[in-house]
């Protein structure tokens, strides 16, 4: 399931997106700076007030996807439970506020949602994904890359998709199953965690989210002045 998550992320690197990225260089360059700034600020905040170990602090502070941060932190010796709580609090706050704020800028009638055929699973894509996962994993192990189970399939999938060698998108049900299993595997580790420790981690997560949003607002405002792009779109693009 961890390998499937890596392949899912790698499949987003399509040739069209790679080509289009050339027109996004100013904001992509700013995004690199943004990730470093946010990671550094939140790392200092958590290191000062949390008492987490270094690996847990790093992956709790990095503005990445919930599943990816949990998987990588576990494979590199961090505390999955703490990382999941910090990022879970961030996502909970964001998904209950940002979509509402975005709706103020775009009428509900203009919003579109993808139609998903939940049963569209064919043998060909499954075999291609399996081959990419195995090959990427073997190469990652050979190169002694960290978190090879995740990073290997990610690199294999991204290279194959980015160069146009393969155009297979992971079946939706398979990706949903992977995230469900990873989420459940993290959840069972909360046995004996304690209510006070749970509340403390969520409070730290709320503070980290507030700091992230303030930095996002600063970056969005600066880029709005420099590029002329709509502020609402820039904020949505940089929201962690």
């Amino acid at each position: 399931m961890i390998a499937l998550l890596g392949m899912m992320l790698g499949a987003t690197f399509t040739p069209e997106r790679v080509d289009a990225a050339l027109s996004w260089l100013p904001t992509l360059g700013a995004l690199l700076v943004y990730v470093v700034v946010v990671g550094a600020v939140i790392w200092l905040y958590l290191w000062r007030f949390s008492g987490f170990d270094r690996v847990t602090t790093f992956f709790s502070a990095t503005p990445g996807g919930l599943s990816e941060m949990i998987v990588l932190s576990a494979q590199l010796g961090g505390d999955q439970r703490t990382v999941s709580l910090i990022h879970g609090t961030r996502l909970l706050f964001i998904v209950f506020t940002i979509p509402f704020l975005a709706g103020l800028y775009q009428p509900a009638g203009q919003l579109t949602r993808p139609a998903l055929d939940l049963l569209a699973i064919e043998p060909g894509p499954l075999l291609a994904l399996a081959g990419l996962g195995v090959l990427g994993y073997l190469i990652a192990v050979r190169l002694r890359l960290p978190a090879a189970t995740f990073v290997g399939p990610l690199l294999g999938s991204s290279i194959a998709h980015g160069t146009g060698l393969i155009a297979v998108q992971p079946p939706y049900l398979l990706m949903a199953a992977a995230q469900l299993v990873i989420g459940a595997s993290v959840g069972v580790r909360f046995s004996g965690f304690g209510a006070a420790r749970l509340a403390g981690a969520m409070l730290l997560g709320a503070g980290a989210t507030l700091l992230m949003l303030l930095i996002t607002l600063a970056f969005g405002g600066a880029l709005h002045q420099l590029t002329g792009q709509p502020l609402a779109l820039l904020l949505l693009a940089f929201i962690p």
Side-chain angles (χ1 to χ4, degrees), residues 57-88:
T57 302
F58 176 82
F59 284 104
S60 296
T62 303
L66 173 63
S67 300
E68 291 84 353
M69 294 300 100
I70 291 173
V71 168
L72 288 172
S73 66
Q75 296 198 358
L76 294 176
D79 186 344
Q80 274 187 312
R81 300 177 298 181
T82 299
V83 173
S84 65
L85 278 174
I86 297 296
H87 287 291

Side-chain angles (χ1 to χ4, degrees), residues 29-174:
L31 180 61
L32 293 175
V33 178
Y34 168 85
V35 170
V36 172
V37 171
V38 168
V41 170
I42 304 305
W43 189 92
L44 290 172
Y45 160 74
L46 292 177
W47 187 252
R48 172 67 177 80
F49 295 105
S50 70
F52 301 158
D53 62 82
R54 291 182 181 274
V55 175
T56 300
T57 302
F58 176 82
F59 284 104
S60 296
T62 303
L66 173 63
S67 300
E68 291 84 353
M69 294 300 100
I70 291 173
V71 168
L72 288 172
S73 66
Q75 296 198 358
L76 294 176
D79 186 344
Q80 274 187 312
R81 300 177 298 181
T82 299
V83 173
S84 65
L85 278 174
I86 297 296
H87 287 291
T89 302
R90 166 175 61 90
L91 294 175
L92 183 67
F93 181 82
I94 287 174
V95 299
F96 277 99
T97 56
I98 301 305
F100 171 76
L101 295 176
L104 297 179
Y105 290 92
Q106 186 171 10
Q110 298 180 19
L111 298 177
T112 58
R113 294 174 176 81
L116 299 174
D117 186 355
L118 300 183
L119 300 179
I121 299 179
E122 302 177 1
L126 292 180
L127 290 175
L129 287 172
L132 284 173
V134 172
L135 179 61
Y137 170 74
L138 293 176
I139 294 175
V141 171
R142 182 73 174 177
L143 297 176
R144 297 183 179 180
L145 297 178
T149 308
F150 176 78
V151 174
L154 166 63
L155 292 177
S157 179
S158 61
I159 292 173
H161 284 87
T163 57
L165 295 176
I166 189 172
V168 174
Q169 293 297 316
Y172 174 79
L173 277 183
L174 200 58

